[in-house]
Amino acid sequence: MEAEREFWQERSRVFLQPIAAPSILGLFGLATATMMVGAWMAGWYGTVLTPLILFPFVLTAGGLAQFLAGMWSYRARDGLATAVHGMWGAFWLAFGLIFMLVGAGAFPALLAPRIGAVNPPFAFWFIALCVITGLCAMAATAENMGMTVVLALLAVGSGFTAAGFFSGATWPVRIAGWLFVISAAAALYTAGAMLLESCFGRTVMPLGKSRAAADIPGRRMSRPLEYRYGQPGVKIGQ
């Protein structure tokens, strides 16, 4: 048995392909879509026709870019980011697709979600998002408080949105809009902190990491396992 283990150990090779943190792109995409739609839901701007203007940006930034970040998170072995960006990316893709079809006349406008109108199918979407995002928020407490705050606000906002579309009342959707905008601001901070840490190689904006020593500005958030002189022939960056 020992001989067999040594045989395979001597002949085994692991080839690594490092990638940048996918959540930088994912959180920026999430923040963009959530801020645009959340501000509309809060009544800050727009009319019932506003989603027809928003759908290209929601479809690409919040949907496509974020969904790709979720898939790249598989390669980064980040289960939390995979779940968050995969589910929210899929939702924003569907949201943008609905209003794209409405604008093209291929989907009944009366079935599209409208603030103040009862729409149980759309409400059930947000029930699922509320539960999944809430579970992700619990898991994020093991990593950093920045992501925890983003997800907690998204989960509560999703719950209010579901209540609004179930009842047809306007006020729960307005509250949800405010929560989505605040969560977008938190997502911008979190993504910005990750971006700066990636560029400077040390903590610039604290994220409330579970390891307190890594959350002090100027400290390294993590020290990668690598050859001390870098990777010969490989340049990090552009």
Side-chain angles (χ1 to χ4, degrees):
M1 192 68 180
E2 182 65 23
E4 183 179 359
R5 186 187 68 82
E6 292 181 357
F7 174 85
W8 286 110
Q9 187 176 40
E10 291 173 358
R11 289 161 177 78
S12 298
R13 298 292 183 272
V14 176
F15 296 91
L16 302 179
Q17 185 178 5
I19 61 175
S23 285
I24 296 175
L25 172 63
L27 286 172
F28 278 139
L30 176 65
T32 301
T34 309
M35 183 175 295
M36 293 172 66
V37 176
W40 169 70
M41 291 171 59
W44 293 3
Y45 75 98
T47 65
V48 292
L49 298 178
T50 297
L52 297 178
I53 302 173
L54 294 179
F55 84 80
F57 308 100
V58 172
L59 187 69
T60 53
L64 180 60
Q66 189 178 185
F67 189 79
L68 288 173
M71 297 305 99
W72 286 322
S73 295
Y74 273 115
R75 304 197 66 175
R77 299 184 179 184
D78 191 333
L80 174 62
T82 298
V84 172
H85 301 313
M87 287 305 303
W88 277 95
F91 171 75
W92 289 127
L93 280 172
F95 184 93
L97 182 60
I98 286 176
F99 286 100
M100 183 178 70
L101 294 175
V102 170
F107 188 86
L110 291 176
L111 296 181
R114 290 175 294 132
I115 296 176
V118 177
N119 194 324
F122 197 63
F124 270 105
W125 261 103
F126 278 97
I127 290 177
L129 283 174
C130 177
V131 174
I132 294 171
T133 309
L135 291 173
C136 290
M138 293 173 59
T141 58
E143 296 187 3
N144 65 72
M145 292 307 299
M147 184 67 79
T148 303
V149 171
V150 173
L151 298 177
L153 289 168
L154 280 175
V156 177
S158 297
F160 273 102
T161 305
F165 282 104
F166 259 126
S167 64
T170 300
W171 67 267
V173 180
R174 299 300 188 206
I175 294 176
W178 277 87
L179 290 170
F180 284 155
V181 171
I182 298 172
S183 72
L188 287 173
Y189 177 90
T190 304
M194 296 175 68
L195 176 63
L196 292 174
E197 190 275 335
S198 175
C199 293
F200 287 93
R202 61 181 184 275
T203 299
V204 178
M205 298 163 58
L207 276 175
K209 298 283 288 186
S210 57
R211 293 179 293 106
D215 207 43
I216 300 174
R219 293 283 186 89
R220 284 182 176 269
M221 293 178 68
S222 60
R223 187 174 298 277
L225 180 63
E226 61 183 6
Y227 177 53
R228 63 176 296 185
Y229 298 109
Q231 298 169 291
V234 177
K235 175 180 179 293
I236 297 176
Q238 301 181 56

Coordinates of all heavy atoms in Angstrom, one line a residue, residues 20-28 78 81 85 143-144 147 187-202 204-207 209 221:
A20 N -8.4 36.1 -11.5 CA -8.7 37.2 -10.6 C -10.0 36.9 -9.9 O -10.8 36.0 -10.3 CB -8.9 38.5 -11.4
A21 N -10.2 37.6 -8.8 CA -11.4 37.4 -8.0 C -12.7 37.7 -8.8 O -12.9 38.8 -9.1 CB -11.4 38.3 -6.7
P22 N -13.5 36.7 -9.1 CA -14.7 36.9 -9.9 C -15.7 37.8 -9.3 O -16.5 38.5 -10.0 CB -15.3 35.5 -10.1 CG -14.2 34.6 -9.8 CD -13.3 35.2 -8.8
S23 N -15.7 37.9 -7.9 CA -16.7 38.7 -7.3 C -16.5 40.2 -7.5 O -17.4 41.0 -7.2 CB -16.8 38.4 -5.8 OG -17.4 37.2 -5.5
I24 N -15.3 40.6 -7.9 CA -15.1 42.0 -8.3 C -16.1 42.4 -9.4 O -16.8 43.4 -9.3 CB -13.7 42.3 -8.6 CG1 -12.8 42.0 -7.5 CG2 -13.5 43.8 -9.1 CD1 -11.3 42.2 -7.8
L25 N -16.1 41.6 -10.5 CA -17.0 41.9 -11.6 C -18.4 41.6 -11.1 O -19.3 42.4 -11.5 CB -16.6 41.0 -12.8 CG -17.6 41.0 -13.9 CD1 -17.7 42.4 -14.6 CD2 -17.2 39.9 -15.0
G26 N -18.6 40.5 -10.4 CA -20.0 40.1 -10.0 C -20.7 41.2 -9.2 O -21.8 41.5 -9.4
L27 N -20.0 41.7 -8.2 CA -20.6 42.7 -7.3 C -20.8 44.0 -8.0 O -21.8 44.7 -7.7 CB -19.7 42.9 -6.1 CG -19.7 41.8 -5.0 CD1 -18.6 42.0 -4.0 CD2 -21.1 41.6 -4.4
F28 N -19.9 44.4 -8.9 CA -20.1 45.7 -9.7 C -21.3 45.5 -10.6 O -22.1 46.4 -10.7 CB -18.9 46.0 -10.5 CG -17.8 46.7 -9.7 CD1 -16.5 46.4 -9.9 CD2 -18.1 47.7 -8.8 CE1 -15.5 47.1 -9.2 CE2 -17.1 48.4 -8.1 CZ -15.8 48.1 -8.3
D78 N -15.2 29.0 -5.1 CA -15.9 29.8 -4.1 C -17.4 29.5 -4.3 O -18.1 30.0 -5.1 CB -15.6 31.3 -4.5 CG -16.2 32.2 -3.4 OD1 -17.1 31.8 -2.7 OD2 -15.6 33.3 -3.2
A81 N -19.8 32.7 -3.8 CA -19.9 33.6 -4.9 C -20.6 32.9 -6.1 O -21.4 33.5 -6.8 CB -18.5 34.0 -5.4
H85 N -23.8 35.0 -7.4 CA -23.8 35.6 -8.7 C -24.5 34.8 -9.7 O -25.1 35.3 -10.7 CB -22.3 35.8 -9.2 CG -21.5 36.7 -8.2 ND1 -22.0 37.9 -7.8 CD2 -20.3 36.5 -7.7 CE1 -21.1 38.5 -7.0 NE2 -20.1 37.7 -6.9
E143 N -16.8 34.6 6.1 CA -15.7 35.2 5.3 C -15.5 36.7 5.7 O -14.4 37.1 6.1 CB -16.1 35.1 3.8 CG -16.2 33.7 3.3 CD -16.4 33.6 1.8 OE1 -16.4 34.6 1.2 OE2 -16.5 32.4 1.3
N144 N -16.5 37.6 5.4 CA -16.4 39.0 5.8 C -17.7 39.6 5.9 O -18.7 39.2 5.4 CB -15.5 39.7 4.7 CG -16.2 39.8 3.4 OD1 -17.2 40.5 3.2 ND2 -15.7 39.0 2.4
M147 N -19.7 41.4 2.6 CA -20.6 40.5 1.8 C -21.8 40.2 2.6 O -22.9 40.1 2.0 CB -19.8 39.2 1.4 CG -20.7 38.3 0.5 SD -21.0 39.1 -1.2 CE -19.4 38.7 -2.0
A187 N -22.5 46.9 -1.9 CA -21.8 46.0 -2.9 C -20.7 46.8 -3.6 O -19.6 46.2 -3.9 CB -22.8 45.5 -4.0
L188 N -20.9 48.1 -3.9 CA -19.9 48.9 -4.5 C -18.6 49.0 -3.5 O -17.5 48.9 -4.0 CB -20.4 50.3 -4.8 CG -21.3 50.4 -6.0 CD1 -21.9 51.8 -6.1 CD2 -20.6 50.1 -7.3
Y189 N -18.9 49.2 -2.3 CA -17.8 49.3 -1.3 C -17.1 48.0 -1.2 O -15.8 47.9 -1.3 CB -18.4 49.6 0.1 CG -17.3 49.6 1.2 CD1 -16.6 50.8 1.5 CD2 -17.0 48.5 1.9 CE1 -15.7 50.8 2.5 CE2 -16.0 48.5 2.9 CZ -15.3 49.7 3.1 OH -14.3 49.7 4.1
T190 N -17.8 46.8 -1.2 CA -17.2 45.5 -1.1 C -16.3 45.2 -2.3 O -15.2 44.8 -2.2 CB -18.2 44.4 -0.9 OG1 -19.0 44.7 0.3 CG2 -17.6 43.1 -0.7
A191 N -16.9 45.5 -3.5 CA -16.1 45.2 -4.7 C -15.0 46.2 -4.8 O -13.9 45.8 -5.3 CB -17.1 45.4 -5.9
G192 N -15.1 47.4 -4.4 CA -14.0 48.4 -4.4 C -12.9 47.9 -3.5 O -11.7 48.1 -3.9
A193 N -13.2 47.4 -2.3 CA -12.2 47.0 -1.4 C -11.5 45.8 -2.0 O -10.2 45.7 -1.9 CB -12.9 46.6 -0.1
M194 N -12.2 44.9 -2.6 CA -11.5 43.7 -3.3 C -10.6 44.2 -4.4 O -9.5 43.6 -4.6 CB -12.6 42.7 -3.8 CG -13.4 42.1 -2.6 SD -14.7 41.1 -3.3 CE -13.8 39.7 -4.0
L195 N -11.1 45.1 -5.2 CA -10.3 45.6 -6.3 C -9.0 46.3 -5.9 O -7.9 46.1 -6.4 CB -11.2 46.6 -7.1 CG -10.5 47.3 -8.3 CD1 -10.1 46.3 -9.4 CD2 -11.4 48.4 -8.9
L196 N -9.1 47.2 -4.8 CA -7.9 47.8 -4.3 C -6.9 46.9 -3.7 O -5.7 47.0 -3.9 CB -8.4 48.9 -3.3 CG -9.1 50.1 -3.9 CD1 -9.6 51.0 -2.8 CD2 -8.3 50.9 -4.9
E197 N -7.5 45.9 -3.0 CA -6.6 44.9 -2.4 C -5.8 44.1 -3.5 O -4.7 43.8 -3.4 CB -7.4 43.9 -1.5 CG -6.5 43.0 -0.7 CD -6.1 41.7 -1.4 OE1 -6.8 41.3 -2.3 OE2 -5.1 41.1 -1.0
S198 N -6.6 43.8 -4.6 CA -5.9 43.1 -5.7 C -4.8 43.9 -6.4 O -3.8 43.4 -6.8 CB -7.0 42.7 -6.8 OG -6.5 42.1 -7.9
C199 N -5.0 45.2 -6.5 CA -4.1 46.1 -7.2 C -2.9 46.5 -6.3 O -1.7 46.5 -6.7 CB -4.8 47.4 -7.7 SG -6.0 47.1 -9.0
F200 N -3.2 46.8 -5.0 CA -2.1 47.2 -4.1 C -1.5 46.0 -3.3 O -0.4 46.2 -2.7 CB -2.7 48.2 -3.1 CG -2.9 49.6 -3.7 CD1 -4.2 49.9 -4.2 CD2 -1.9 50.5 -3.8 CE1 -4.5 51.1 -4.7 CE2 -2.2 51.8 -4.3 CZ -3.5 52.1 -4.8
G201 N -2.1 44.9 -3.3 CA -1.5 43.7 -2.6 C -1.7 43.8 -1.1 O -1.0 43.1 -0.4
R202 N -2.5 44.7 -0.6 CA -2.7 44.8 0.8 C -4.1 45.4 1.1 O -4.7 46.0 0.2 CB -1.6 45.7 1.4 CG -1.6 47.2 0.9 CD -0.5 48.0 1.6 NE -0.6 49.4 1.1 CZ 0.0 49.8 0.0 NH1 0.7 49.0 -0.8 NH2 -0.1 51.1 -0.3
V204 N -6.8 48.0 1.9 CA -6.9 49.5 1.8 C -8.2 49.9 2.4 O -8.3 50.8 3.2 CB -6.9 50.0 0.3 CG1 -7.1 51.5 0.2 CG2 -5.6 49.6 -0.4
M205 N -9.3 49.2 2.1 CA -10.6 49.4 2.7 C -11.0 48.2 3.4 O -11.2 47.1 2.8 CB -11.6 49.8 1.6 CG -11.3 51.0 0.8 SD -12.2 51.2 -0.8 CE -13.9 51.1 -0.2
P206 N -11.1 48.2 4.8 CA -11.5 47.0 5.6 C -12.8 46.4 5.2 O -13.8 47.2 4.8 CB -11.5 47.6 7.0 CG -10.7 48.8 7.0 CD -11.0 49.4 5.6
L207 N -12.9 45.1 5.2 CA -14.1 44.4 4.9 C -14.7 43.7 6.0 O -15.8 43.0 5.9 CB -13.9 43.4 3.7 CG -13.9 44.0 2.3 CD1 -13.5 42.9 1.3 CD2 -15.3 44.5 2.0
K209 N -13.1 41.2 7.8 CA -12.7 39.8 7.6 C -12.8 39.0 8.9 O -12.7 39.6 10.0 CB -11.3 39.7 7.0 CG -11.1 40.4 5.7 CD -11.7 39.6 4.5 CE -10.8 38.3 4.3 NZ -11.3 37.6 3.1
M221 N -4.4 40.9 3.1 CA -5.6 40.1 3.4 C -5.3 38.6 3.3 O -5.9 37.8 4.0 CB -6.7 40.5 2.5 CG -7.2 41.9 2.7 SD -8.5 42.4 1.5 CE -9.9 41.4 2.1

